[in-house]
Amino acid sequence: MTATDLSVTKQEADKLFQRKRLIGFGIPAVIFAYLVYIFFAFDISGLAGRANLDNAVTLASDSWSHKVHVTRDNRSGEITYAVEGERKGTYPEGQRPDWVSGDEVITIDLGGDHIVRYLPDNRTEIEVPGFPLIEVQAEGRSLTSNLPEDLPDWISASNRRIGITTPEGRITLTGARTEVFNYFPGWELFWFTLDSPYHGQSLGTILFGEQIDPTRSNIAGAISDWWNNAMWRHKDVAWAIGETILMAFLGTMGAAIIALPLAFMAAKRFSPVMMLRAATRRVFDFVRGVDALIWTVVLARAFGPGPLTGALAILITDTGTFGKIFSEALENVDQKQIEGVESTGPKPLQRYRFGVIPQVVPVLLAQILYFLESNTRSATIIGAITGGGIGLMLTQAIQTQKDWEEVAYYIVLIVVMVMFMDWFSGWLRGKLIGRKD
């Protein structure tokens, strides 16, 4: 190698080094610029300023706890006791929580020396440790109180509404009613409502104890009361889970059935007419290019809400996806197997049936079962739009802004459903294809 060649090689090496150096400096600069853009475009500083951790803590606690309402109607003087404030969770006549006492003066012991008293003439007294006694009088639609002008953060007050939030519970006062919320851990009345004879009974008593309800056996009666629980609606939830799975199953299997013959029309090896191939592929591009949620909105306007509309939305979108996947699988089949079948003199359909389908079945089944699992999750969101399945119940619970323990219940069920479908699809794939993941 001459000196000139060495000089050229050194120059090329220097240029390559400089290029790599520029790239090394350029990539971090681009990433930094992108992060700066995100900071301003998404208003990160504004989001941080609007964040309310107290609301987040309240929401999180509501997901694993329940509250008992003690409510006084300031017009009639009637006092009711209800779990989550629901009519279906109201204590029967003559019953009330053991932390409430008194007749003329109703004393509510929230714990930790936090006491609320419902006095005659719509008067209320509230004792909070370390704060002067709070006295409130409801008169018509307005409130009068002895609260000072400089209020702590845990008290909000006007002449129409007073809200007090303490570690032991919350108190809300308006001209129409006075309400105390006492919080407890757990999903209350999940098994039996207050009107069930099995409420408060232990599992051992139900299984092995004396007959509680003279008209039915303990086990049959307990299962019936749990299944027909009016607050947690276990029967409706089970039906909704079934609707969600059925929506995903019909949409996925229907798409696979439609896409398979169309895939032969889109595969070059089996469709020599270029115009037919191009038209079929453009159809696949169109139906899968529009998201299933968009198809859901369109079909809901056309056919009305319901689980079948959601299944059709999944079917349309997955037909395009399956068509592309299946056609690519058909392009890669082994020609020798097809020729071997042809040597026996079969008809064209038999040639495809015995020479092509067995080669692509593992790929087809794997994709179908994967999409079945994925569409089970998608059917939850689609159901919220079309008015079917567990997605609708989840949306309704979120919209109430009070039943967050039911939201947590539905989310747990959705996660369990997806885990089950994941296991089931893997097991079925192993059985059908002859191997496991």
Side-chain angles (χ1 to χ4, degrees):
M1 182 178 292
T2 65
T4 303
D5 293 335
L6 289 173
S7 176
V8 171
T9 303
K10 186 176 183 303
Q11 290 176 1
E12 290 178 351
D14 290 341
K15 289 180 180 179
L16 182 61
F17 175 76
Q18 292 295 333
R19 190 180 299 115
K20 289 183 177 180
R21 187 177 180 184
L22 289 174
I23 293 174
F25 282 114
I27 291 177
V30 171
I31 294 175
F32 177 76
Y34 182 65
L35 293 176
V36 171
Y37 167 76
I38 289 176
F39 182 83
F40 290 102
F42 291 91
D43 192 20
I44 302 298
S45 59
L47 289 175
R50 293 190 298 270
N52 191 323
L53 293 180
D54 292 337
N55 288 344
V57 170
T58 301
L59 187 151
S61 64
D62 284 350
S63 66
W64 56 266
S65 65
H66 68 277
K67 56 184 179 294
V68 179
H69 298 224
V70 181
T71 306
R72 178 179 65 187
D73 188 326
N74 291 335
R75 296 186 178 90
S76 65
E78 180 184 6
I79 298 178
T80 57
Y81 312 91
V83 177
E84 292 297 340
E86 294 191 28
R87 188 182 302 274
K88 294 171 289 189
T90 303
Y91 279 70
E93 186 70 27
Q95 296 185 24
R96 63 184 181 183
D98 55 9
W99 38 272
V100 181
S101 61
D103 294 320
E104 290 293 326
V105 176
I106 303 298
T107 302
I108 304 166
D109 187 354
L110 296 176
D113 295 329
H114 291 68
I115 305 294
V116 180
R117 297 184 186 89
Y118 289 168
L119 306 174
D121 302 325
N122 294 335
R123 293 182 295 120
T124 305
E125 289 183 352
I126 304 168
E127 292 183 11
V128 177
F131 195 82
L133 178 68
I134 301 172
E135 299 176 330
V136 182
Q137 172 73 57
E139 297 176 336
R141 299 178 60 183
S142 62
L143 300 171
T144 57
S145 69
N146 65 340
L147 288 171
E149 293 185 1
D150 187 15
L151 294 174
D153 294 338
W154 48 273
I155 298 180
S156 62
S158 69
N159 63 343
R160 294 292 182 88
R161 185 184 184 279
I162 296 175
I164 301 172
T165 302
T166 73
E168 302 296 332
R170 293 190 294 120
I171 304 100
T172 302
L173 304 99
T174 64
R177 64 181 182 177
T178 304
E179 195 162 21
V180 174
F181 309 88
N182 200 2
Y183 284 81
F184 300 92
W187 292 349
E188 181 65 0
L189 308 184
F190 181 82
W191 301 106
F192 309 109
T193 52
L194 293 166
D195 58 350
S196 171
Y198 305 98
H199 177 71
Q201 302 290 343
S202 66
L203 180 61
T205 301
I206 294 175
L207 294 177
F208 310 109
E210 297 182 356
Q211 188 170 352
I212 298 172
D213 188 342
T215 61
R216 50 188 179 169
S217 67
N218 286 352
I219 295 178
I223 292 175
S224 176
D225 285 6
W226 174 81
W227 183 248
N228 297 289
N229 188 315
M231 284 192 66
W232 288 90
R233 303 167 58 192
H234 300 301
K235 179 170 64 176
D236 296 335
V237 169
W239 180 266
I241 290 286
E243 275 190 346
T244 301
I245 295 176
L246 183 62
M247 199 186 308
F249 178 82
L250 290 178
T252 306
M253 296 306 169
I257 292 172
I258 295 173
L260 182 58
L262 293 177
F264 280 93
M265 298 169 59
K268 186 176 182 180
R269 296 184 64 174
F270 302 97
S271 180
V273 182
M274 185 183 68
M275 293 297 295
L276 180 61
R277 293 198 311 270
T280 306
R281 290 177 178 178
R282 297 298 78 77
V283 170
F284 290 159
D285 292 340
F286 173 72
V287 294
R288 82 170 186 271
V290 180
D291 192 83
L293 291 178
I294 305 301
W295 285 118
T296 302
V297 175
V298 173
L299 293 171
R301 292 293 301 270
F303 301 106
L308 184 59
T309 302
L312 287 174
I314 295 174
L315 183 149
I316 292 174
T317 303
D318 283 1
T319 296
T321 306
F322 283 151
K324 178 178 174 57
I325 294 173
F326 293 175
S327 63
E328 291 176 351
L330 291 171
E331 292 282 4
N332 296 312
V333 296
D334 187 0
Q335 185 64 26
K336 292 182 180 180
Q337 294 191 32
I338 301 175
E339 292 173 353
V341 174
E342 284 179 347
S343 65
T344 63
K347 296 179 181 180
L349 287 178
Q350 292 175 325
R351 187 167 64 247
Y352 294 155
R353 165 64 180 85
F354 296 102
V356 177
I357 297 299
Q359 297 188 56
V360 298
V361 159
V363 176
L364 269 56
L365 284 177
Q367 293 295 334
I368 290 170
L369 291 174
Y370 169 76
F371 272 82
L372 176 61
E373 172 201 337
S374 176
N375 287 334
T376 303
R377 297 190 297 269
S378 301
T380 301
I381 306 302
I382 290 173
I385 299 175
T386 61
I390 193 66
L392 176 64
M393 300 187 71
L394 177 63
T395 304
Q396 290 174 340
I398 291 174
Q399 288 175 343
T400 61
Q401 291 293 312
K402 67 183 185 68
D403 298 325
W404 288 104
E405 71 281 358
E406 292 185 16
V407 173
Y409 174 43
Y410 299 151
I411 290 175
V412 168
L413 288 178
I414 291 170
V415 172
V416 171
M417 177 183 66
V418 171
M419 292 173 62
F420 169 78
M421 292 302 295
D422 178 34
W423 167 84
F424 176 74
S425 63
W427 173 83
L428 188 59
R429 184 162 50 247
K431 291 291 184 181
L432 295 176
I433 303 175
R435 61 181 176 81
K436 295 185 178 180
D437 294 338

